[in-house]
Amino acid sequence: MSANEDKLLAALAAALLAHPRGTLKEIAEAAGVSKATLHRFCGTRENLKNMLLTHGAAIIERIIFHPALKEGPVRPAFEQLLLSHLAHSEVMAYVAFNWSPDSPFVGDHSWLHYTEALDAFFLRGQKEGVFAVELSAAELTEMFGSAVFGLFDAQRRGRIAPARLPSIIRHFFASTPASDSAY
């Protein structure tokens, strides 16, 4: 996929998130392209949705197969994981908000691969003392996903500045929980 197509898909993902029931004309305008360009690019709304989900699956695959996630120092790998999500925030948010348990596959890829890769990464980080051991790796994966995708939505709604996202998530994961008696 070309850089221009990647940018267009990001803009279209943001437009669909902002105007989920918008017409193709409204989506095109929100993405900064003409309706004719949008029609040539994807043809139909359903095809656009499928293109975004397939593109999102390819992004997810690149994230989970990045070598840093499986080996090497955990802190730089976490940074890479975070920056990879942030670099594709519009498409990742579109995929997250349009996936449902009734359709577990995004393109030809299962979300299971994503969660398994993150579980393994967080477990490795726990073993190396980087992440809290009071939480399971699965809980850390769910917290990461919830934090990232929740903050994408907050950014989209104007509640959080885009430049603050990385530091918010870093801070969230740098903190370890206090004992249960503190609650």
Side-chain angles (χ1 to χ4, degrees):
M1 174 161 301
S2 74
N4 286 341
E5 288 175 328
D6 194 46
K7 286 180 184 178
L8 179 56
L9 283 169
L12 290 168
L16 273 172
L17 286 169
H19 307 284
R21 293 194 172 107
T23 64
L24 284 179
K25 182 180 181 199
E26 292 167 333
I27 292 165
E29 287 174 359
V33 297
S34 70
K35 183 178 173 186
T37 298
L38 178 59
H39 185 71
R40 278 191 305 274
F41 183 69
C42 63
T44 66
R45 178 188 199 88
E46 196 60 34
N47 194 39
L48 173 59
K49 290 178 179 181
N50 288 334
M51 289 173 77
L52 287 168
L53 291 174
T54 300
H55 183 54
I59 291 168
I60 289 167
E61 190 170 288
R62 285 194 306 269
I63 290 171
I64 65 173
F65 289 117
H66 192 282
L69 204 60
K70 295 183 181 182
E71 54 193 43
V74 172
R75 288 185 197 283
F78 181 77
E79 186 71 12
Q80 175 63 40
L81 177 68
L82 176 57
L83 294 178
S84 295
H85 280 77
L86 295 174
H88 303 285
S89 61
E90 298 90 351
V91 175
M92 294 294 286
Y94 179 83
V95 170
F97 295 125
N98 286 279
W99 173 85
S100 75
D102 298 332
S103 58
F105 291 93
V106 177
D108 293 331
H109 308 279
S110 170
W111 274 103
L112 183 60
H113 297 127
Y114 177 76
T115 56
E116 287 173 345
L118 292 187
D119 286 353
F121 170 71
F122 284 115
L123 180 60
R124 184 168 71 87
Q126 288 175 311
K127 289 177 180 177
E128 294 182 21
V130 175
F131 300 119
V133 295
E134 295 87 354
L135 302 170
S136 72
E139 290 167 337
L140 289 170
T141 295
E142 294 301 322
M143 289 174 62
F144 178 79
S146 296
V148 168
F149 296 115
L151 290 171
F152 284 167
D153 185 51
Q155 173 191 325
R156 183 182 61 81
R157 291 180 290 118
R159 293 189 43 84
I160 295 175
R164 293 267 305 133
L165 282 177
S167 62
I168 292 168
I169 296 168
R170 280 187 207 103
H171 178 75
F172 185 72
F173 275 86
S175 303
T176 56
S179 70
D180 287 339
S181 63
Y183 296 101

mmCIF file of all heavy atoms in Angstrom, residues 71-107:
data_model
loop_
_atom_site.group_PDB
_atom_site.id
_atom_site.type_symbol
_atom_site.label_atom_id
_atom_site.label_comp_id
_atom_site.label_asym_id
_atom_site.label_seq_id
_atom_site.Cartn_x
_atom_site.Cartn_y
_atom_site.Cartn_z
ATOM 1 N N GLU A 71 11.646 -10.188 21.669
ATOM 2 C CA GLU A 71 13.010 -10.300 22.208
ATOM 3 C C GLU A 71 13.613 -8.922 22.386
ATOM 4 O O GLU A 71 13.118 -7.944 21.862
ATOM 5 C CB GLU A 71 13.877 -11.150 21.287
ATOM 6 C CG GLU A 71 13.881 -10.669 19.859
ATOM 7 C CD GLU A 71 14.480 -11.667 18.895
ATOM 8 O OE1 GLU A 71 14.186 -12.866 19.003
ATOM 9 O OE2 GLU A 71 15.242 -11.216 18.043
ATOM 10 N N GLY A 72 14.676 -8.856 23.114
ATOM 11 C CA GLY A 72 15.332 -7.574 23.372
ATOM 12 C C GLY A 72 14.768 -6.923 24.613
ATOM 13 O O GLY A 72 13.861 -7.447 25.254
ATOM 14 N N PRO A 73 15.279 -5.765 24.959
ATOM 15 C CA PRO A 73 14.839 -5.068 26.166
ATOM 16 C C PRO A 73 13.348 -4.717 26.117
ATOM 17 O O PRO A 73 12.834 -4.270 25.090
ATOM 18 C CB PRO A 73 15.699 -3.803 26.188
ATOM 19 C CG PRO A 73 16.840 -4.086 25.274
ATOM 20 C CD PRO A 73 16.339 -5.069 24.260
ATOM 21 N N VAL A 74 12.679 -4.905 27.252
ATOM 22 C CA VAL A 74 11.230 -4.717 27.308
ATOM 23 C C VAL A 74 10.823 -3.248 27.212
ATOM 24 O O VAL A 74 9.859 -2.925 26.517
ATOM 25 C CB VAL A 74 10.651 -5.373 28.580
ATOM 26 C CG1 VAL A 74 9.180 -5.037 28.764
ATOM 27 C CG2 VAL A 74 10.836 -6.888 28.516
ATOM 28 N N ARG A 75 11.533 -2.369 27.886
ATOM 29 C CA ARG A 75 11.120 -0.952 27.875
ATOM 30 C C ARG A 75 11.126 -0.355 26.463
ATOM 31 O O ARG A 75 10.134 0.259 26.060
ATOM 32 C CB ARG A 75 11.982 -0.132 28.817
ATOM 33 C CG ARG A 75 11.662 -0.420 30.270
ATOM 34 C CD ARG A 75 12.446 0.492 31.217
ATOM 35 N NE ARG A 75 12.446 -0.017 32.568
ATOM 36 C CZ ARG A 75 11.427 0.080 33.414
ATOM 37 N NH1 ARG A 75 10.330 0.684 33.034
ATOM 38 N NH2 ARG A 75 11.513 -0.414 34.632
ATOM 39 N N PRO A 76 12.201 -0.536 25.677
ATOM 40 C CA PRO A 76 12.143 -0.023 24.295
ATOM 41 C C PRO A 76 11.068 -0.744 23.460
ATOM 42 O O PRO A 76 10.463 -0.135 22.574
ATOM 43 C CB PRO A 76 13.535 -0.307 23.733
ATOM 44 C CG PRO A 76 14.414 -0.494 24.916
ATOM 45 C CD PRO A 76 13.537 -1.009 26.014
ATOM 46 N N ALA A 77 10.829 -2.018 23.760
ATOM 47 C CA ALA A 77 9.784 -2.745 23.032
ATOM 48 C C ALA A 77 8.412 -2.175 23.366
ATOM 49 O O ALA A 77 7.545 -2.069 22.488
ATOM 50 C CB ALA A 77 9.845 -4.233 23.367
ATOM 51 N N PHE A 78 8.191 -1.801 24.632
ATOM 52 C CA PHE A 78 6.921 -1.177 25.016
ATOM 53 C C PHE A 78 6.754 0.143 24.277
ATOM 54 O O PHE A 78 5.673 0.464 23.786
ATOM 55 C CB PHE A 78 6.847 -0.961 26.530
ATOM 56 C CG PHE A 78 5.542 -0.344 26.961
ATOM 57 C CD1 PHE A 78 4.393 -1.115 27.040
ATOM 58 C CD2 PHE A 78 5.452 1.000 27.260
ATOM 59 C CE1 PHE A 78 3.174 -0.553 27.410
ATOM 60 C CE2 PHE A 78 4.251 1.572 27.632
ATOM 61 C CZ PHE A 78 3.102 0.794 27.719
ATOM 62 N N GLU A 79 7.842 0.897 24.193
ATOM 63 C CA GLU A 79 7.797 2.167 23.472
ATOM 64 C C GLU A 79 7.421 1.934 22.003
ATOM 65 O O GLU A 79 6.599 2.652 21.431
ATOM 66 C CB GLU A 79 9.155 2.875 23.581
ATOM 67 C CG GLU A 79 9.188 4.250 22.999
ATOM 68 C CD GLU A 79 8.416 5.284 23.810
ATOM 69 O OE1 GLU A 79 8.027 5.010 24.962
ATOM 70 O OE2 GLU A 79 8.183 6.370 23.267
ATOM 71 N N GLN A 80 8.019 0.913 21.395
ATOM 72 C CA GLN A 80 7.707 0.571 20.004
ATOM 73 C C GLN A 80 6.242 0.153 19.866
ATOM 74 O O GLN A 80 5.556 0.555 18.926
ATOM 75 C CB GLN A 80 8.634 -0.561 19.526
ATOM 76 C CG GLN A 80 8.328 -1.073 18.136
ATOM 77 C CD GLN A 80 8.505 -0.011 17.062
ATOM 78 O OE1 GLN A 80 9.437 0.771 17.113
ATOM 79 N NE2 GLN A 80 7.619 0.020 16.093
ATOM 80 N N LEU A 81 5.758 -0.637 20.803
ATOM 81 C CA LEU A 81 4.360 -1.074 20.796
ATOM 82 C C LEU A 81 3.430 0.132 20.871
ATOM 83 O O LEU A 81 2.492 0.255 20.078
ATOM 84 C CB LEU A 81 4.121 -2.019 21.984
ATOM 85 C CG LEU A 81 2.704 -2.526 22.196
ATOM 86 C CD1 LEU A 81 2.294 -3.458 21.068
ATOM 87 C CD2 LEU A 81 2.603 -3.231 23.547
ATOM 88 N N LEU A 82 3.716 1.020 21.794
ATOM 89 C CA LEU A 82 2.901 2.210 21.964
ATOM 90 C C LEU A 82 2.941 3.104 20.723
ATOM 91 O O LEU A 82 1.896 3.505 20.199
ATOM 92 C CB LEU A 82 3.387 2.988 23.193
ATOM 93 C CG LEU A 82 2.716 4.313 23.486
ATOM 94 C CD1 LEU A 82 1.219 4.150 23.646
ATOM 95 C CD2 LEU A 82 3.337 4.939 24.723
ATOM 96 N N LEU A 83 4.130 3.387 20.228
ATOM 97 C CA LEU A 83 4.262 4.264 19.058
ATOM 98 C C LEU A 83 3.636 3.659 17.810
ATOM 99 O O LEU A 83 3.084 4.378 16.976
ATOM 100 C CB LEU A 83 5.729 4.621 18.825
ATOM 101 C CG LEU A 83 6.367 5.483 19.919
ATOM 102 C CD1 LEU A 83 7.839 5.732 19.610
ATOM 103 C CD2 LEU A 83 5.612 6.791 20.122
ATOM 104 N N SER A 84 3.684 2.341 17.698
ATOM 105 C CA SER A 84 3.039 1.671 16.555
ATOM 106 C C SER A 84 1.530 1.867 16.588
ATOM 107 O O SER A 84 0.900 2.082 15.553
ATOM 108 C CB SER A 84 3.359 0.181 16.551
ATOM 109 O OG SER A 84 4.722 -0.035 16.345
ATOM 110 N N HIS A 85 0.949 1.794 17.765
ATOM 111 C CA HIS A 85 -0.492 2.037 17.890
ATOM 112 C C HIS A 85 -0.815 3.504 17.586
ATOM 113 O O HIS A 85 -1.772 3.794 16.878
ATOM 114 C CB HIS A 85 -0.973 1.672 19.297
ATOM 115 C CG HIS A 85 -1.188 0.221 19.513
ATOM 116 N ND1 HIS A 85 -0.146 -0.659 19.711
ATOM 117 C CD2 HIS A 85 -2.318 -0.517 19.548
ATOM 118 C CE1 HIS A 85 -0.635 -1.875 19.876
ATOM 119 N NE2 HIS A 85 -1.954 -1.813 19.777
ATOM 120 N N LEU A 86 -0.006 4.389 18.135
ATOM 121 C CA LEU A 86 -0.270 5.819 17.950
ATOM 122 C C LEU A 86 -0.084 6.263 16.502
ATOM 123 O O LEU A 86 -0.811 7.134 16.025
ATOM 124 C CB LEU A 86 0.625 6.642 18.871
ATOM 125 C CG LEU A 86 0.379 6.453 20.369
ATOM 126 C CD1 LEU A 86 1.416 7.217 21.176
ATOM 127 C CD2 LEU A 86 -1.025 6.856 20.759
ATOM 128 N N ALA A 87 0.857 5.660 15.801
ATOM 129 C CA ALA A 87 1.109 6.032 14.405
ATOM 130 C C ALA A 87 -0.079 5.720 13.504
ATOM 131 O O ALA A 87 -0.230 6.319 12.438
ATOM 132 C CB ALA A 87 2.359 5.323 13.886
ATOM 133 N N HIS A 88 -0.912 4.808 13.941
ATOM 134 C CA HIS A 88 -2.065 4.384 13.135
ATOM 135 C C HIS A 88 -3.366 4.533 13.931
ATOM 136 O O HIS A 88 -4.266 3.712 13.818
ATOM 137 C CB HIS A 88 -1.885 2.929 12.688
ATOM 138 C CG HIS A 88 -0.630 2.691 11.932
ATOM 139 N ND1 HIS A 88 -0.474 3.095 10.626
ATOM 140 C CD2 HIS A 88 0.548 2.131 12.291
ATOM 141 C CE1 HIS A 88 0.740 2.773 10.213
ATOM 142 N NE2 HIS A 88 1.386 2.201 11.210
ATOM 143 N N SER A 89 -3.423 5.584 14.738
ATOM 144 C CA SER A 89 -4.534 5.720 15.688
ATOM 145 C C SER A 89 -5.913 5.725 15.032
ATOM 146 O O SER A 89 -6.836 5.112 15.563
ATOM 147 C CB SER A 89 -4.353 6.968 16.548
ATOM 148 O OG SER A 89 -4.342 8.141 15.758
ATOM 149 N N GLU A 90 -6.054 6.382 13.893
ATOM 150 C CA GLU A 90 -7.378 6.462 13.270
ATOM 151 C C GLU A 90 -7.862 5.089 12.826
ATOM 152 O O GLU A 90 -8.997 4.698 13.101
ATOM 153 C CB GLU A 90 -7.364 7.411 12.054
ATOM 154 C CG GLU A 90 -7.027 8.842 12.377
ATOM 155 C CD GLU A 90 -5.531 9.135 12.317
ATOM 156 O OE1 GLU A 90 -4.706 8.193 12.187
ATOM 157 O OE2 GLU A 90 -5.178 10.324 12.424
ATOM 158 N N VAL A 91 -7.004 4.350 12.145
ATOM 159 C CA VAL A 91 -7.398 3.029 11.646
ATOM 160 C C VAL A 91 -7.559 2.057 12.814
ATOM 161 O O VAL A 91 -8.508 1.269 12.843
ATOM 162 C CB VAL A 91 -6.385 2.494 10.609
ATOM 163 C CG1 VAL A 91 -6.724 1.074 10.184
ATOM 164 C CG2 VAL A 91 -6.360 3.415 9.391
ATOM 165 N N MET A 92 -6.654 2.119 13.788
ATOM 166 C CA MET A 92 -6.762 1.235 14.953
ATOM 167 C C MET A 92 -8.063 1.509 15.710
ATOM 168 O O MET A 92 -8.745 0.584 16.150
ATOM 169 C CB MET A 92 -5.551 1.403 15.868
ATOM 170 C CG MET A 92 -4.241 0.961 15.262
ATOM 171 S SD MET A 92 -4.155 -0.804 14.949
ATOM 172 C CE MET A 92 -3.966 -1.416 16.615
ATOM 173 N N ALA A 93 -8.407 2.774 15.877
ATOM 174 C CA ALA A 93 -9.661 3.122 16.555
ATOM 175 C C ALA A 93 -10.856 2.629 15.746
ATOM 176 O O ALA A 93 -11.810 2.069 16.310
ATOM 177 C CB ALA A 93 -9.755 4.624 16.772
ATOM 178 N N TYR A 94 -10.806 2.792 14.433
ATOM 179 C CA TYR A 94 -11.907 2.307 13.596
ATOM 180 C C TYR A 94 -12.085 0.799 13.776
ATOM 181 O O TYR A 94 -13.208 0.313 13.971
ATOM 182 C CB TYR A 94 -11.678 2.642 12.109
ATOM 183 C CG TYR A 94 -12.802 2.120 11.268
ATOM 184 C CD1 TYR A 94 -13.976 2.847 11.130
ATOM 185 C CD2 TYR A 94 -12.730 0.860 10.675
ATOM 186 C CE1 TYR A 94 -15.043 2.339 10.407
ATOM 187 C CE2 TYR A 94 -13.800 0.351 9.953
ATOM 188 C CZ TYR A 94 -14.955 1.094 9.815
ATOM 189 O OH TYR A 94 -16.011 0.577 9.132
ATOM 190 N N VAL A 95 -10.997 0.066 13.717
ATOM 191 C CA VAL A 95 -11.067 -1.389 13.870
ATOM 192 C C VAL A 95 -11.613 -1.739 15.246
ATOM 193 O O VAL A 95 -12.514 -2.581 15.379
ATOM 194 C CB VAL A 95 -9.686 -2.046 13.637
ATOM 195 C CG1 VAL A 95 -9.695 -3.511 14.036
ATOM 196 C CG2 VAL A 95 -9.271 -1.897 12.180
ATOM 197 N N ALA A 96 -11.092 -1.103 16.289
ATOM 198 C CA ALA A 96 -11.532 -1.414 17.654
ATOM 199 C C ALA A 96 -13.019 -1.140 17.845
ATOM 200 O O ALA A 96 -13.715 -1.928 18.491
ATOM 201 C CB ALA A 96 -10.717 -0.607 18.657
ATOM 202 N N PHE A 97 -13.517 -0.050 17.272
ATOM 203 C CA PHE A 97 -14.911 0.309 17.471
ATOM 204 C C PHE A 97 -15.860 -0.391 16.508
ATOM 205 O O PHE A 97 -17.074 -0.283 16.660
ATOM 206 C CB PHE A 97 -15.093 1.827 17.397
ATOM 207 C CG PHE A 97 -14.400 2.546 18.510
ATOM 208 C CD1 PHE A 97 -13.492 3.550 18.239
ATOM 209 C CD2 PHE A 97 -14.616 2.214 19.835
ATOM 210 C CE1 PHE A 97 -12.826 4.212 19.262
ATOM 211 C CE2 PHE A 97 -13.964 2.863 20.861
ATOM 212 C CZ PHE A 97 -13.076 3.869 20.578
ATOM 213 N N ASN A 98 -15.339 -1.119 15.538
ATOM 214 C CA ASN A 98 -16.193 -1.796 14.570
ATOM 215 C C ASN A 98 -16.078 -3.306 14.619
ATOM 216 O O ASN A 98 -16.732 -4.003 13.861
ATOM 217 C CB ASN A 98 -15.915 -1.276 13.156
ATOM 218 C CG ASN A 98 -16.503 0.090 12.982
ATOM 219 O OD1 ASN A 98 -17.685 0.247 12.739
ATOM 220 N ND2 ASN A 98 -15.689 1.114 13.170
ATOM 221 N N TRP A 99 -15.251 -3.809 15.496
ATOM 222 C CA TRP A 99 -15.157 -5.244 15.702
ATOM 223 C C TRP A 99 -16.231 -5.637 16.700
ATOM 224 O O TRP A 99 -16.591 -4.871 17.578
ATOM 225 C CB TRP A 99 -13.780 -5.595 16.266
ATOM 226 C CG TRP A 99 -13.678 -7.037 16.651
ATOM 227 C CD1 TRP A 99 -13.359 -8.067 15.832
ATOM 228 C CD2 TRP A 99 -13.891 -7.613 17.935
ATOM 229 N NE1 TRP A 99 -13.361 -9.245 16.523
ATOM 230 C CE2 TRP A 99 -13.688 -8.993 17.826
ATOM 231 C CE3 TRP A 99 -14.249 -7.099 19.169
ATOM 232 C CZ2 TRP A 99 -13.835 -9.867 18.904
ATOM 233 C CZ3 TRP A 99 -14.385 -7.955 20.240
ATOM 234 C CH2 TRP A 99 -14.170 -9.323 20.099
ATOM 235 N N SER A 100 -16.777 -6.824 16.532
ATOM 236 C CA SER A 100 -17.739 -7.332 17.514
ATOM 237 C C SER A 100 -17.464 -8.812 17.747
ATOM 238 O O SER A 100 -16.884 -9.487 16.881
ATOM 239 C CB SER A 100 -19.166 -7.130 17.015
ATOM 240 O OG SER A 100 -19.468 -8.064 16.002
ATOM 241 N N PRO A 101 -17.884 -9.328 18.899
ATOM 242 C CA PRO A 101 -17.667 -10.751 19.179
ATOM 243 C C PRO A 101 -18.320 -11.672 18.151
ATOM 244 O O PRO A 101 -17.899 -12.801 17.969
ATOM 245 C CB PRO A 101 -18.301 -10.947 20.556
ATOM 246 C CG PRO A 101 -18.321 -9.595 21.162
ATOM 247 C CD PRO A 101 -18.474 -8.625 20.017
ATOM 248 N N ASP A 102 -19.329 -11.169 17.465
ATOM 249 C CA ASP A 102 -19.989 -11.967 16.430
ATOM 250 C C ASP A 102 -19.145 -12.089 15.174
ATOM 251 O O ASP A 102 -19.388 -12.938 14.337
ATOM 252 C CB ASP A 102 -21.344 -11.349 16.054
ATOM 253 C CG ASP A 102 -22.296 -11.314 17.235
ATOM 254 O OD1 ASP A 102 -22.175 -12.168 18.126
ATOM 255 O OD2 ASP A 102 -23.133 -10.399 17.265
ATOM 256 N N SER A 103 -18.157 -11.222 15.036
ATOM 257 C CA SER A 103 -17.266 -11.276 13.875
ATOM 258 C C SER A 103 -15.827 -11.225 14.368
ATOM 259 O O SER A 103 -15.203 -10.179 14.315
ATOM 260 C CB SER A 103 -17.552 -10.121 12.924
ATOM 261 O OG SER A 103 -17.408 -8.896 13.609
ATOM 262 N N PRO A 104 -15.305 -12.350 14.855
ATOM 263 C CA PRO A 104 -13.979 -12.334 15.479
ATOM 264 C C PRO A 104 -12.824 -12.132 14.513
ATOM 265 O O PRO A 104 -11.705 -11.958 14.933
ATOM 266 C CB PRO A 104 -13.886 -13.707 16.139
ATOM 267 C CG PRO A 104 -14.802 -14.564 15.354
ATOM 268 C CD PRO A 104 -15.911 -13.659 14.889
ATOM 269 N N PHE A 105 -13.075 -12.155 13.231
ATOM 270 C CA PHE A 105 -11.981 -12.002 12.279
ATOM 271 C C PHE A 105 -11.973 -10.610 11.686
ATOM 272 O O PHE A 105 -13.000 -10.065 11.339
ATOM 273 C CB PHE A 105 -12.086 -13.045 11.158
ATOM 274 C CG PHE A 105 -11.814 -14.433 11.652
ATOM 275 C CD1 PHE A 105 -12.844 -15.246 12.055
ATOM 276 C CD2 PHE A 105 -10.519 -14.906 11.753
ATOM 277 C CE1 PHE A 105 -12.592 -16.512 12.533
ATOM 278 C CE2 PHE A 105 -10.254 -16.167 12.231
ATOM 279 C CZ PHE A 105 -11.295 -16.985 12.624
ATOM 280 N N VAL A 106 -10.790 -10.046 11.625
ATOM 281 C CA VAL A 106 -10.573 -8.760 10.961
ATOM 282 C C VAL A 106 -9.783 -9.105 9.719
ATOM 283 O O VAL A 106 -8.646 -9.552 9.810
ATOM 284 C CB VAL A 106 -9.777 -7.802 11.872
ATOM 285 C CG1 VAL A 106 -9.502 -6.506 11.153
ATOM 286 C CG2 VAL A 106 -10.524 -7.549 13.166
ATOM 287 N N GLY A 107 -10.392 -8.947 8.570
ATOM 288 C CA GLY A 107 -9.745 -9.435 7.353
ATOM 289 C C GLY A 107 -9.630 -10.942 7.501
ATOM 290 O O GLY A 107 -10.599 -11.616 7.800
#
